[in-house]
Amino acid sequence: MKLWDKGFSTDKKIDLFTVGNDRELDLILAKYDVIGNLAHAKMLHKIGLLTSEEIKNLEVELNAILKTIEAGEFIIEDSFEDVHSKVEYLLTEKLGDTGKKIHTARSRNDQVLVDVHLYLKDALTEINEGVDDLFDLLILLAEQYKDVLLPGYTHLQVAMPSSFGMWFSAYAETLIDDIYFLKAAYKVADQNPLGSAAGYGSSFPIDRDETTKLLGFETLKFNSVAAQMGRGKLEKSISFGLSSVAATLAKMSMDICLYMSQNFNFISFPDELTTGSSIMPHKKNPDVFELIRGKCNKLQALPMEFTMITNNLPSGYHRDLQLLKEGLIPAFSTLKACLEMLTYSLKNIRVRTDIVEEEKYLYLFSVEEVNKLVQNGTPFRDAYKIIGKNINEGNFNPNKTVVHTHKGSVGNLCLDEIVAKKNKA
């Protein structure tokens, strides 16, 4: 059954090619399709296109379908093109002509749009919750290890003293930037497209304010053409939010892979969070973090993928847009899993507390010694030369006590301020 069926069959190869994996992906959208149907039916009743008995029967059957979805019993057989045709079929099977009325004043285009908008609002909320959990843990670890020095690197060369408190809280504060992107994406999703029909509105006197209220949208996408043009732009907006979080996770995972290696040996994890080698008995491999890095790097390709699918499409609906679901829906489950695994693993991190005592980190404190001379009245360029000469002649014996006081430094991490900023975001 197809919503656009006119009584003749489509070539089997064409059918397989055009449907693709829509049925599989639509199972994730099924809940939202029913919610959209409920709101649409209530609006049709409000404007007199459904009787009181019809809306009552539709609500009963739609809620019954919703229960099968929530129980994991809902399926979309190959004989149905998508979730929309399956739901309408079930309604018609139970209610006859009343079921056929559900599509009044609506197109599959705005039906897909409202399903995706509702799904994305929930999916973004779940990602935000995952970001919250990781943020809270990073702040906790930053407080716990704020006094443990960690070598800072530039150009992958030993540079200046940092601390584990600074490292953990750096990623916590970076997550706030990601939250800004996620909030912007949510704002784009929080607009009701229902009622735009095929992209040019309807001759029925529908009440779009009513469906906006029933579906919990902040506002509606007023212009029907703009609502249809949102398909693609919405997904692209979401992709930037997901990509931003993914970039943070990938970078931290790369740090962890480096810091776990024997050449750095800054941190470790319990054996059960690492993997071994098939021939090297000494290996403890950071597979979890390598996979987080790889998966998150794939996610960072989403904005370009969506750009290439939608680039130069004119206004109005085009079947190309169907392909967006293939990248978008799995991206959420991937990022959610990465957030969960990174948070779970970091709860078990083991931090070395004596790293800077190693001889190779002696020069980590060169700038500290330069600054001490400057504070005692030596011009900076002269102080720089003095310490440089001491290093070259092997006479460099620094005091390894680090005293930084300005905001955002090793000695003043501003954790409370970072938490306040995040709460505001």
Side-chain angles (χ1 to χ4, degrees):
M1 177 186 175
K2 296 177 175 62
L3 295 182
W4 48 269
D5 184 36
K6 301 179 184 70
F8 58 86
S9 62
T10 306
D11 183 279
K12 185 68 174 176
K13 286 185 178 180
I14 296 295
D15 188 51
L16 289 171
F17 183 75
T18 54
V19 172
N21 63 347
D22 247 23
R23 298 183 189 96
E24 179 185 344
L25 296 173
D26 276 5
L27 287 174
I28 296 169
L29 297 178
K31 165 187 170 183
Y32 304 99
D33 195 68
V34 173
I35 292 170
N37 272 299
L38 278 165
H40 185 67
K42 289 175 183 177
M43 184 275 295
L44 292 177
H45 172 247
K46 182 182 178 183
I47 65 173
L49 292 177
L50 289 175
T51 67
S52 295
E53 184 179 357
E54 286 172 331
I55 183 60
K56 181 181 177 182
N57 291 335
L58 281 168
E59 285 183 305
V60 168
E61 293 306 323
L62 284 167
N63 281 310
I65 295 171
L66 189 58
K67 285 182 180 178
T68 66
I69 294 169
E70 291 171 343
E73 299 167 356
F74 183 83
I75 58 173
I76 305 172
E77 298 87 348
D78 289 349
S79 53
F80 296 96
E81 188 175 21
D82 50 33
V83 64
H84 322 297
S85 53
K86 176 63 185 284
V87 170
E88 188 170 323
Y89 170 81
L90 292 173
L91 292 176
T92 303
E93 185 182 43
K94 288 281 189 179
L95 303 176
D97 287 346
T98 300
K100 297 176 183 178
K101 291 183 178 182
I102 195 69
H103 204 58
T104 304
R106 189 171 60 171
S107 165
R108 184 168 62 166
N109 292 351
D110 65 339
Q111 202 170 347
V112 174
L113 272 168
V114 78
D115 291 1
V116 172
H117 276 253
L118 290 170
Y119 161 73
L120 290 175
K121 286 178 64 179
D122 277 359
L124 282 169
T125 298
E126 286 191 359
I127 294 298
N128 264 307
E129 289 169 355
V131 170
D132 277 350
D133 290 342
L134 179 57
F135 177 91
D136 291 343
L137 177 61
L138 290 171
I139 291 294
L140 190 68
L141 291 169
E143 178 64 37
Q144 183 178 351
Y145 296 108
K146 64 183 178 182
D147 297 323
V148 179
L149 291 182
L150 170 71
Y153 282 74
T154 61
H155 307 275
L156 273 181
Q157 307 292 310
V158 173
M160 293 176 63
S162 180
S163 70
F164 278 100
M166 180 171 272
W167 182 62
F168 285 124
S169 59
Y171 279 104
E173 189 166 9
T174 299
L175 284 173
I176 300 173
D177 297 336
D178 303 331
I179 290 171
Y180 294 146
F181 277 98
L182 291 172
K183 280 204 71 174
Y186 190 93
K187 199 81 172 174
V188 175
D190 203 13
Q191 304 175 87
N192 180 23
L194 188 58
S196 58
Y200 302 97
S202 170
S203 58
F204 290 101
I206 58 174
D207 187 343
R208 296 190 65 204
D209 289 325
E210 178 70 7
T211 55
T212 299
K213 180 178 69 174
L214 290 171
L215 292 170
F217 285 107
E218 181 184 20
T219 185
L220 56 82
K221 205 64 176 273
F222 294 96
N223 186 293
S224 294
V225 175
Q228 277 301 315
M229 288 198 298
R231 185 95 186 266
K233 188 160 190 176
L234 167 63
E235 288 86 346
K236 193 172 175 181
S237 302
I238 299 295
S239 74
F240 280 113
L242 301 185
S243 174
S244 185
V245 178
T248 301
L249 303 193
K251 185 179 283 291
M252 187 169 201
S253 295
M254 181 60 197
D255 277 359
I256 291 171
C257 290
L258 281 176
Y259 293 174
M260 281 181 68
S261 71
Q262 292 92 332
N263 292 33
F264 284 79
N265 193 27
F266 294 167
I267 59 175
S268 62
F269 289 87
D271 289 348
E272 57 268 24
L273 295 181
T274 62
T275 61
S277 164
S278 61
I279 64 171
M280 294 173 281
H282 67 283
K283 294 294 290 295
K284 289 179 66 174
N285 297 325
D287 287 24
V288 168
F289 305 103
E290 290 172 342
L291 286 171
I292 291 172
R293 182 178 62 196
K295 288 173 183 287
C296 287
N297 285 341
K298 279 186 66 177
L299 288 173
Q300 289 179 79
L302 268 183
M304 180 54 69
E305 178 184 330
F306 290 168
T307 296
M308 296 310 295
I309 291 173
T310 59
N311 202 33
N312 296 330
L313 289 181
S315 61
Y317 176 77
H318 310 278
R319 195 64 180 259
D320 315 49
L321 298 169
Q322 174 182 310
L323 303 177
L324 296 168
K325 285 194 288 187
E326 295 178 5
L328 183 67
I329 292 176
F332 277 98
S333 57
T334 297
L335 185 56
K336 184 180 176 184
C338 288
L339 280 164
E340 289 174 350
M341 286 308 302
L342 186 58
T343 303
Y344 175 76
S345 299
L346 285 174
K347 288 178 181 178
N348 298 279
I349 193 171
R350 296 168 178 172
V351 168
R352 269 190 62 202
T353 59
D354 60 346
I355 301 168
V356 298
E357 298 306 318
E358 294 184 30
E359 186 179 351
K360 62 186 173 185
Y361 298 120
L362 184 68
Y363 301 140
L364 196 68
F365 302 92
S366 66
V367 178
E368 304 299 310
E369 296 301 310
V370 169
N371 291 348
K372 287 175 185 176
L373 290 177
V374 172
Q375 288 172 334
N376 289 325
T378 305
F380 177 81
R381 281 302 163 200
D382 292 341
Y384 180 93
K385 290 177 181 178
I386 292 169
I387 299 300
K389 184 173 182 291
N390 290 342
I391 290 172
N392 289 334
E393 294 176 352
N395 298 321
F396 183 65
N397 296 298
N399 181 339
K400 294 182 179 180
T401 302
V402 177
V403 182
H404 292 184
T405 59
H406 71 76
K407 286 187 175 182
S409 65
V410 173
N412 186 3
L413 295 177
C414 297
L415 298 184
D416 290 341
E417 289 88 338
I418 291 172
V419 170
K421 186 203 285 191
K422 180 260 182 184
N423 290 339
K424 186 177 180 182

